[in-house]
Amino acid sequence: MDNILYYPYINLPRTDWTLRTLLYYDTIGSIVPQEYFYNPDRNYDPFMLDLVQNELVIPVNPLEVINPVEFSKAFLSYLKQHKNSFIRNNSNNDDRQSSRPTQRFFPSKLHADKFDGEIFYALQDLGLAERLSPDDSWYLVESKTANLLMKLLAMTISKELEMLPTTDVVNVIGLMTSKMNQNRKRGTILKELIPFPENIDLAKVRAFKDKHPDLLKAFKNKVELITLNPQYIEGTELFTETLKELKFRKDELSAKMNEGQMGNIFFGTVCGLLSSGISMATVENKFLAIAAATPGFLNGIHAASKVEKPENIFDQSGMKYLALVDKRLTLRSV
């Protein structure tokens, strides 16, 4: 799967998980209320705004993708069938001095524009949600209810847009077991392999991905072959040694790419001195000195000493993409 839909929140956090995700997937969507499209500067946090402006995250208006009325009917039908478990779960957090749960027991916030209004009316009647204020667009919702609601919304949208619903939140109700296992395994692989460039420039990330789609595809194929193969089980020797081999290939490519800098340094110092004539007096053979000062001679030295561009280095391991990430996007390259 090349495209994912992030949930349950609107803003992606500035974490290593997000940056690894940006470098791995072709498209990342986020479920965004309609008002965010009109006032992005006021609504998004600074990091998310930067992601959206660089087209690294694509906002998805749920009301334009799904039928909100039909979605409400399906969710409320499920809620009515299982309402006792939701109410019982909420009663565990009930204020002992009140017959009704207070706001402090509603840690999850949901925006009204993500759903049809009937959902929130029903949740309020069940004591599972409260509106922040009469003219506010946000509701405080009981956590289990909010998690289920966002999971179902993400799954419905993902099916329509052919995306994989993905979250970084541990306590959010997850996907089917097989998908959860694959996501966890994929996450472990990416955490081991992809460096974390803390001061990353998101414009550079966008340009880097646009420049190297074939390398990303090769890397992704390598990761997915491990992720989807049931023989590779986390914690086993086979899984651990396979990751070690991939890390070794990446480091090997990174070292080879850095050799090119030695050629540039040599040419920029020694050859620069020759071309300027500074070392002419130290050369005993005047004829050799004259030859050394000519452009053709300097170009020959440059060609002999300079290793090819990092992008041109041959690789069959699939790790070239990561080696270039390490060289072009990490802190020392910014």
Side-chain angles (χ1 to χ4, degrees):
M1 182 68 71
D2 295 326
N3 307 316
I4 64 171
L5 181 69
Y6 176 74
Y7 79 102
Y9 303 121
I10 295 170
N11 297 303
L12 273 73
R14 187 184 179 89
T15 61
D16 54 347
W17 179 90
T18 295
L19 296 177
R20 286 194 300 268
T21 300
L22 293 174
L23 290 169
Y24 187 73
Y25 292 100
D26 292 349
T27 302
I28 302 171
S30 178
I31 304 172
V32 175
Q34 187 166 324
E35 70 175 63
Y36 280 56
F37 290 84
Y38 302 127
N39 298 292
D41 295 344
R42 188 180 68 183
N43 289 300
Y44 292 120
D45 68 24
F47 180 63
M48 182 65 173
L49 181 61
D50 202 3
L51 290 172
V52 172
Q53 289 177 339
N54 283 285
E55 298 182 346
L56 289 166
V57 173
I58 307 302
V60 176
N61 184 347
L63 301 183
E64 293 182 353
V65 178
I66 67 171
N67 184 323
V69 175
E70 293 300 321
F71 180 87
S72 292
K73 288 180 180 179
F75 178 77
L76 293 178
S77 174
Y78 177 88
L79 190 64
K80 289 177 181 178
Q81 295 177 30
H82 302 86
K83 66 178 181 180
N84 289 337
S85 64
F86 286 93
I87 295 174
R88 182 169 58 252
N89 180 71
N90 191 52
S91 66
N92 293 332
N93 296 325
D94 202 357
D95 185 355
R96 300 307 176 188
Q97 297 180 349
S98 172
S99 60
R100 186 174 175 81
T102 60
Q103 282 192 1
R104 62 191 176 92
F105 298 123
F106 293 147
S108 299
K109 288 175 59 179
L110 293 183
H111 198 284
D113 288 351
K114 288 184 177 181
F115 308 94
D116 177 65
E118 289 298 322
I119 284 182
F120 293 106
Y121 295 145
L123 293 180
Q124 285 179 296
D125 288 340
L126 292 170
L128 297 173
E130 291 183 357
R131 198 164 194 168
L132 283 175
S133 65
D135 57 347
D136 202 290
S137 299
W138 291 93
Y139 285 83
L140 295 169
V141 183
E142 185 273 326
S143 292
K144 180 181 176 182
T145 308
N147 287 345
L148 178 61
L149 190 52
M150 284 306 303
K151 173 199 170 184
L152 294 177
L153 180 64
M155 292 181 66
T156 304
I157 294 174
S158 297
K159 184 177 180 180
E160 292 293 326
L161 300 181
E162 297 184 349
M163 306 176 87
L164 176 68
T166 304
T167 182
D168 64 325
V169 182
V170 176
N171 63 346
V172 167
I173 299 172
L175 307 175
M176 296 177 291
T177 303
S178 60
K179 293 293 184 182
M180 288 176 62
N181 291 337
Q182 290 176 6
N183 278 345
R184 184 170 58 249
K185 190 195 300 187
R186 184 183 295 109
T188 299
I189 297 170
L190 297 182
K191 186 175 182 179
E192 288 291 324
L193 294 179
I194 296 183
F196 178 36
E198 296 183 9
N199 291 342
I200 198 166
D201 184 328
L202 295 180
K204 285 186 177 181
V205 174
R206 176 73 273 165
F208 182 85
K209 291 178 68 174
D210 289 342
K211 185 177 181 180
H212 301 294
D214 293 340
L215 295 183
L216 173 56
K217 184 177 181 180
F219 168 62
K220 196 177 299 181
N221 287 342
K222 180 67 68 174
V223 172
E224 294 305 313
L225 285 174
I226 301 173
T227 299
L228 301 178
N229 190 333
Q231 293 183 343
Y232 292 98
I233 302 173
E234 289 186 72
T236 63
E237 186 175 0
L238 176 62
F239 184 81
T240 301
E241 291 302 317
T242 300
L243 288 189
K244 285 182 180 179
E245 173 65 18
L246 293 179
K247 289 171 70 175
F248 174 79
R249 294 302 175 193
K250 185 195 79 170
D251 293 341
E252 186 179 47
L253 286 167
S254 295
K256 185 175 292 187
M257 289 176 182
N258 288 330
E259 289 174 3
Q261 293 300 314
M262 296 304 295
N264 287 331
I265 293 170
F266 177 81
F267 183 72
T269 55
V270 178
C271 296
L273 291 173
L274 287 174
S275 64
S276 65
I278 293 175
S279 62
M280 194 75 74
T282 65
V283 181
E284 295 181 359
N285 189 322
K286 299 297 185 181
F287 178 78
L288 178 60
I290 294 173
T294 63
F297 186 83
L298 293 175
N299 289 337
I301 293 177
H302 187 207
S305 63
K306 180 178 171 61
V307 177
E308 61 182 326
K309 290 178 60 178
E311 285 81 359
N312 295 334
I313 292 177
F314 180 72
D315 167 53
Q316 286 184 313
S317 69
M319 295 297 106
K320 184 175 175 180
Y321 178 76
L322 290 190
L324 281 174
V325 167
D326 188 48
K327 185 173 183 62
R328 303 297 191 203
L329 296 179
T330 51
L331 179 62
R332 63 176 177 274
S333 300
V334 176

